[in-house]
Amino acid sequence: MLNHISLLVALLIILFWGMTISFALVVDFTNLTFLAIIFLIFLQIFFNTGLFIVAHDGMHGILVPYNQNINDAIARLALILYAGLSFKDLKEKHYLHHRFTGTSLDPDFHEHNPNFCFWYLRFMGKYVSFLNLCRLALLILIIVNIFQIHWLNLLLFWALPLIFSSLQLFFFGTFLPHRHHHDNQFNLSCLSTIKSLHLPILLSFITCYHFSYHQEHHRYPFLAWWQLPFTTRFIQSYF
């Protein structure tokens, strides 16, 4: 049964993302209240982040562990919908991140400058290529011209949620767990230096799909995102 839960959850996230973005891009925002616009933006951020989390679990072969081709296809689709990213490229870099965590060989880590802004820009520069930007630009042109989407809808409900989602993922998945600490700066490759933020379950889910349970993820990368707050229980069932 557990083998099918991650697949079902992944498909639901993709479905809900599709429903919200389809509505948001065509809705007449002048008929919406300010609070409704803010809610729709936050909803889109939440499901955008969900797309990346789906792809992330796919990188670890968790979505469909009994069929790698289907697993990779779903993860690849999630990344394309998220921002036209390359699954192959991200998977290779993510494996390096796990193998060389917190070292100069870790593509996610910034060993020289833990400042949030500089680290974020360096991080994005490694994952967003010129080809990726061209794909996004082409996608925007197609959407705007074929579906006659208002540019403000595109800005409010696609561009802004995408940017804030990337900030959210970076903050909870890279900056907080992997930044320099005085007590671990000479032992950065040790798993114990990775920090987890043990928020209440609902808050942890809303903020970043339990990505704040980051040390748990690095110790047990075969666990799905929804299993991370209950690591002990699931580890006992695996062994």
Side-chain angles (χ1 to χ4, degrees):
M1 179 61 184
L2 287 178
N3 285 343
H4 303 294
I5 292 178
S6 291
L7 173 59
L8 176 61
V9 171
L11 294 177
L12 285 174
I13 289 173
I14 293 172
L15 174 64
F16 287 140
W17 176 87
M19 291 169 60
T20 56
I21 193 67
S22 297
F23 171 77
L25 289 181
V26 299
V27 68
D28 185 353
F29 59 87
T30 60
N31 293 329
L32 298 176
T33 65
F34 177 75
L35 287 179
I37 292 174
I38 295 299
F39 174 75
L40 198 52
I41 290 173
F42 273 97
L43 194 63
Q44 200 57 41
I45 293 171
F46 179 73
F47 287 125
N48 270 3
T49 301
L51 286 178
F52 192 89
I53 296 298
V54 166
H56 172 264
D57 274 9
M59 294 174 200
H60 290 283
I62 298 171
L63 299 179
V64 191
Y66 47 87
N67 191 315
Q68 196 63 43
N69 289 332
I70 296 177
N71 176 91
D72 291 357
I74 295 172
R76 190 172 288 109
L77 172 63
L79 276 182
I80 290 172
L81 295 176
Y82 179 73
L85 298 173
S86 164
F87 175 70
K88 180 177 180 293
D89 183 48
L90 262 69
K91 184 177 180 180
E92 290 174 355
K93 289 178 180 177
H94 192 63
Y95 276 19
L96 290 175
H97 168 63
H98 274 265
R99 185 177 180 183
F100 303 107
T101 304
T103 71
S104 59
L105 298 176
D106 178 358
D108 291 10
F109 191 64
H110 196 335
E111 68 275 16
H112 299 302
N113 194 338
N115 176 277
F116 179 88
C117 293
F118 285 109
W119 191 348
Y120 171 74
L121 291 174
R122 183 177 183 268
F123 177 85
M124 293 302 294
K126 287 194 173 185
Y127 285 95
V128 181
S129 65
F130 177 73
L131 180 61
N132 177 236
L133 292 176
C134 289
R135 283 197 297 258
L136 282 178
L138 179 62
L139 179 62
I140 291 171
L141 287 174
I142 292 173
I143 291 174
V144 170
N145 288 286
I146 293 181
F147 298 101
Q148 298 298 305
I149 304 297
H150 195 284
W151 69 270
L152 267 178
N153 287 66
L154 204 63
L155 173 65
L156 288 173
F157 305 124
W158 182 76
L160 282 181
L162 182 58
I163 293 170
F164 280 114
S165 171
S166 71
L167 285 166
Q168 179 185 16
L169 286 161
F170 173 76
F171 182 72
F172 287 102
T174 299
F175 182 75
L176 284 183
H178 294 294
R179 61 182 171 169
H180 282 301
H181 292 274
H182 293 299
D183 61 340
N184 70 17
Q185 58 183 333
F186 299 109
N187 193 25
L188 288 170
S189 62
C190 180
L191 284 176
S192 63
T193 65
I194 302 171
K195 305 299 181 182
S196 285
L197 186 63
H198 296 114
L199 300 171
I201 297 298
L202 182 59
L203 185 58
S204 173
F205 170 59
I206 293 173
T207 51
C208 206
Y209 293 80
H210 305 312
F211 223 37
S212 56
Y213 285 82
H214 213 74
Q215 186 180 127
E216 289 81 352
H217 167 61
H218 275 260
R219 289 188 182 278
Y220 312 109
F222 52 84
L223 291 180
W225 67 265
W226 52 270
Q227 295 174 306
L228 293 177
F230 317 103
T231 300
T232 303
R233 182 193 307 173
F234 284 109
I235 289 301
Q236 290 173 347
S237 69
Y238 272 92
F239 299 103

